[in-house]
Amino acid sequence: MAIPNSEYWQARFEQLHNAQIDKSSDFFKYVEQMYRQAIADIEKDTARWYMRLAANNDTNLRGAKKLLKANELEEFKWTLNQYIKKAKENGISADWSRQLENASAKYHISRLDALKLQVQQHLEYLYGNYLDGMYEAVRDTYQDSFYNTAYELQKGFKTGFEVGRIDEKTLEKIIAKPWAADELNFSDRLWKDKTKLINTLQNELVQALIRGTPQDKVVRSFADKMNVSLGQAGRLIATETAYFATLAEKESMEKLGTKQYEILATLDRRTSDICRHLDGKVFNVSDFQSGITAPPFHCWCRSCIIPHVKKLTGSKRAARGDDGKTYYIDGSMKYNDWKQVFVDKSMTIGEWRKANNKSNLTELVKIVSNINIEECDKDDIIDIGKQVCELFKLEEKIGNKDALKEVFSNFREMGGELLPEQWARGSNKITKQQLSEAFSYYPKAWVDYLTDSGKKLYTLITNRGFFTEGAAMANGKYYATKFPDYKTGYVSIHMNGMRKTTPYHEIGHYVEYFNKNALRISKEFLKARTKNEKSKQLREILFDPRYATNETTKPDDFVSPYIGKDYPDSSEVLSMGLELIFEPTKQLKKVEFINGEYKPIYATIKDDKEFLYLIIGLILKA
């Protein structure tokens, strides 16, 4: 199995990292909305407060320090009760809830203290929701990055095995652990910002009263300070998200046996000097240190890490399944399915395969039905053949005619049967039986060719099987003139009655005779595969004098040189392909002179995937 190169990992992990950046951007938009609401609420309360001061001509610090009147105090206590209820419902800090309850118990409160409490309430509510959202965001970031990294590694190496779920206690410790030089975790930084903002706005209010600043300027100043805080929130969200994403990627790589990682910087005009210089640097996982050997290296850092691996090794955490097996991961396995199978264990690999095949089959049936054989080319036929082959693992079903028929029946009606009157009088019973069996495993449309043309099928015993137009004698040299329309009313398939492969083979010629598009595609295939080749005698290639001197071929690297046999108006492509799928035998590919001896080299249709896919595609559409 080929080891994925650096470009593969760069593409996959850059996509993962960008997805986390997008999620953090969405969370920031949510925080921004909360900030805008807080600014509006503070503006409303400040305006109401200033109006009361103005009514008493007390818009100064001295007037603000006056106590609330009885009716104002009653109204304020009612507001405090609302704040207390909201604090309890939204899990706002116990310290702030106690401050509100203490304020509610007081009989005397100044107008200034009342406004400070209201401003602080809006900020406590803002930061309480901000912290809850941030906590969920970093949890999701860490878990998503951990599992997505495991998925990408397993998918890249096409091996799947169980990955232990992230322990909740371990996750709590990871989130709570400080990582930057200031030894603060994101919760500490957030509360530090909150305290600073509360003090800033409250001090701003007092200074405005001392200076006699008008209400509109006070509100504008508050909004400016809040916007500065919002910018800090953006930096915090981006940086913390980058940290937890990178940490989870590293942890997942380590658990899955990756020993080294590489720095991948986003190189554009915005890339910092430090990231430019570190781009492509390789570090041991054991030397991981955020901000030093791993991102984020600065605020708004967009760099990420990618695995630098030679091979995937086992690990303690990423244990194999209960049955001890490592499973092949199909390229169609999506992340959510992988997680259900290898992490959550809510679905077995067998259950996924069954459900996935059903879903993929529905889509593939649409693809196949949209292919028009009159307009398509060989590559279209090869492509659908490949998809069907891979979905149903047809290589494992070669020679199993019932299994093949069942697969192809998903795409077209299978099983043709000639009516008694469609056989020419005098046809041999043995060869009739052999051909009837072959038609029963082939598409029904192949019998319909005969029905639609009005021709009859003539079959006799002969030394070497062949197909031809008209009612031919067994020797192939003369027509059976006993039939009035012996040239136009019949087709002949004559066989020796002993070789099982012959009926499956000769029906291929029959199909190319009736379906000129099938012949066209076979010829296109031959032309592409044998470009610039010169014809050679089959008897010389295979050292077999039974082939006539005029039987020539362009052998290419076909599993049998007979596939490339030269014909003006037919080919051996479909006939050989059908034979090798339904009645497979080892084919003599060539004879080589090795160490003084002639050695026969054999092959099967599995050795030529392109040819196999072409024949499957023709079975689906011819």
Side-chain angles (χ1 to χ4, degrees), residues 110-304:
S110 72
R111 294 166 176 167
L112 180 59
D113 287 337
L115 182 58
K116 283 183 176 180
L117 281 168
Q118 286 183 290
V119 170
Q120 184 169 351
Q121 164 62 17
H122 294 309
L123 296 181
E124 293 282 354
Y125 183 71
L126 164 66
Y127 275 85
N129 287 319
Y130 177 9
L131 178 62
D132 288 344
M134 188 70 181
Y135 184 77
E136 290 302 317
V138 297
R139 279 175 60 89
D140 290 346
T141 294
Y142 185 89
Q143 292 184 100
D144 287 351
S145 296
F146 182 92
Y147 292 133
N148 272 295
T149 299
Y151 167 66
E152 292 298 342
L153 286 172
Q154 291 193 16
K155 186 178 179 183
F157 288 95
K158 297 191 181 300
T159 55
F161 47 85
E162 291 180 6
V163 176
R165 290 185 64 82
I166 300 172
D167 179 72
E168 285 295 320
K169 291 184 178 179
T170 302
L171 182 57
E172 296 292 339
K173 290 180 181 178
I174 290 170
I175 291 174
K177 184 179 180 181
W179 63 273
D182 59 7
E183 297 187 350
L184 299 176
N185 60 26
F186 74 86
S187 179
D188 296 330
R189 292 190 186 90
L190 195 148
W191 288 121
K192 183 179 178 181
D193 289 345
K194 181 198 72 172
T195 301
K196 181 180 178 181
L197 182 58
I198 289 171
N199 291 334
T200 297
L201 295 190
Q202 290 180 344
N203 291 337
E204 182 78 15
L205 178 61
V206 173
Q207 291 172 5
L209 289 167
I210 293 172
R211 295 192 299 267
T213 306
Q215 170 200 330
D216 59 335
K217 289 188 177 180
V218 174
V219 170
R220 195 158 53 244
S221 179
F222 280 3
D224 290 341
K225 299 294 189 297
M226 291 283 285
N227 282 323
V228 170
S229 177
L230 178 60
Q232 293 170 343
R235 288 195 295 275
L236 177 68
I237 291 168
T239 306
E240 293 291 336
T241 299
Y243 164 69
F244 283 105
T246 307
L247 179 65
E249 289 164 0
K250 169 259 182 184
E251 292 287 340
S252 188
M253 289 181 194
E254 190 172 36
K255 296 287 189 272
L256 287 146
T258 304
K259 302 301 181 184
Q260 294 181 309
Y261 63 87
E262 183 179 331
I263 304 297
L264 176 65
T266 302
L267 299 177
D268 55 27
R269 292 182 179 180
R270 296 187 291 140
T271 308
S272 66
D273 287 339
I274 186 171
C275 290
R276 288 180 187 276
H277 287 99
L278 287 170
D279 183 50
K281 297 290 185 184
V282 177
F283 296 96
N284 293 328
V285 171
S286 57
D287 293 329
F288 180 95
Q289 187 176 356
S290 296
I292 306 298
T293 61
F297 297 110
H298 52 80
C299 293
W300 305 105
C301 184
R302 296 174 295 153
S303 295
C304 63

Side-chain angles (χ1 to χ4, degrees), residues 339-358:
K339 189 169 181 290
Q340 282 186 307
V341 173
F342 295 109
V343 179
D344 301 334
K345 304 175 185 67
S346 58
M347 178 190 294
T348 66
I349 188 72
E351 289 170 339
W352 172 79
R353 282 174 177 158
K354 186 176 180 179
N356 182 65
N357 283 351
K358 185 176 181 180

Side-chain angles (χ1 to χ4, degrees), residues 436-469:
S436 294
E437 179 188 284
F439 273 118
S440 74
Y441 289 110
Y442 282 161
K444 179 180 176 297
W446 292 4
V447 166
D448 293 341
Y449 290 148
L450 202 65
T451 305
D452 296 341
S453 69
K455 296 178 186 292
K456 294 183 178 182
L457 179 57
Y458 190 35
T459 178
L460 297 173
I461 294 287
T462 188
N463 290 328
R464 182 177 175 184
F466 66 89
F467 166 86
T468 188
E469 182 181 33

Side-chain angles (χ1 to χ4, degrees), residues 246-514:
T246 307
L247 179 65
E249 289 164 0
K250 169 259 182 184
E251 292 287 340
S252 188
M253 289 181 194
E254 190 172 36
K255 296 287 189 272
L256 287 146
T258 304
K259 302 301 181 184
Q260 294 181 309
Y261 63 87
E262 183 179 331
I263 304 297
L264 176 65
T266 302
L267 299 177
D268 55 27
R269 292 182 179 180
R270 296 187 291 140
T271 308
S272 66
D273 287 339
I274 186 171
C275 290
R276 288 180 187 276
H277 287 99
L278 287 170
D279 183 50
K281 297 290 185 184
V282 177
F283 296 96
N284 293 328
V285 171
S286 57
D287 293 329
F288 180 95
Q289 187 176 356
S290 296
I292 306 298
T293 61
F297 297 110
H298 52 80
C299 293
W300 305 105
C301 184
R302 296 174 295 153
S303 295
C304 63
I305 63 174
I306 63 174
H308 185 80
V309 296
K310 293 184 178 178
K311 67 177 182 177
L312 191 66
T313 60
S315 68
K316 295 179 181 178
R317 182 85 171 264
R320 300 297 190 270
D322 294 337
D323 56 6
K325 292 182 180 179
T326 297
Y327 295 96
Y328 168 80
I329 290 184
D330 191 284
S332 64
M333 188 176 224
K334 301 296 187 289
Y335 169 74
N336 288 335
D337 295 330
W338 172 87
K339 189 169 181 290
Q340 282 186 307
V341 173
F342 295 109
V343 179
D344 301 334
K345 304 175 185 67
S346 58
M347 178 190 294
T348 66
I349 188 72
E351 289 170 339
W352 172 79
R353 282 174 177 158
K354 186 176 180 179
N356 182 65
N357 283 351
K358 185 176 181 180
S359 174
N360 287 348
L361 175 58
T362 301
E363 185 62 28
L364 190 50
V365 168
K366 293 179 182 177
I367 293 171
V368 172
S369 65
N370 287 333
I371 296 292
N372 184 345
I373 197 168
E374 294 181 0
E375 299 174 354
C376 72
D377 58 23
K378 68 174 180 62
D379 292 328
D380 296 319
I381 295 298
I382 290 169
D383 181 60
I384 59 172
K386 179 181 180 183
Q387 292 187 62
V388 171
C389 187
E390 291 178 346
L391 179 62
F392 289 97
K393 297 180 171 52
L394 285 188
E395 286 186 53
E396 300 172 7
K397 298 178 174 64
I398 299 296
N400 186 337
K401 292 188 281 291
D402 290 320
L404 292 168
K405 181 179 178 180
E406 182 179 355
V407 170
F408 297 136
S409 67
N410 289 292
F411 304 91
R412 67 188 308 186
E413 188 176 357
M414 300 294 291
E417 182 179 0
L418 272 73
L419 299 173
E421 58 268 24
Q422 291 183 288
W423 294 100
R425 286 184 298 105
S427 290
N428 181 270
K429 290 183 179 180
I430 294 174
T431 54
K432 276 177 64 175
Q433 184 179 358
Q434 290 178 331
L435 287 168
S436 294
E437 179 188 284
F439 273 118
S440 74
Y441 289 110
Y442 282 161
K444 179 180 176 297
W446 292 4
V447 166
D448 293 341
Y449 290 148
L450 202 65
T451 305
D452 296 341
S453 69
K455 296 178 186 292
K456 294 183 178 182
L457 179 57
Y458 190 35
T459 178
L460 297 173
I461 294 287
T462 188
N463 290 328
R464 182 177 175 184
F466 66 89
F467 166 86
T468 188
E469 182 181 33
M473 299 296 287
N475 58 18
K477 295 180 180 180
Y478 307 104
Y479 286 111
T481 56
K482 64 180 179 179
F483 302 115
D485 52 348
Y486 58 85
K487 286 187 178 181
T488 59
Y490 297 84
V491 291
S492 298
I493 298 179
H494 299 333
M495 306 178 293
N496 68 10
M498 299 179 66
R499 287 176 58 87
K500 291 183 178 180
T501 60
T502 308
Y504 293 91
H505 178 104
E506 297 302 336
I507 290 176
H509 291 302
Y510 159 100
V511 172
E512 287 187 346
Y513 167 79
F514 281 109

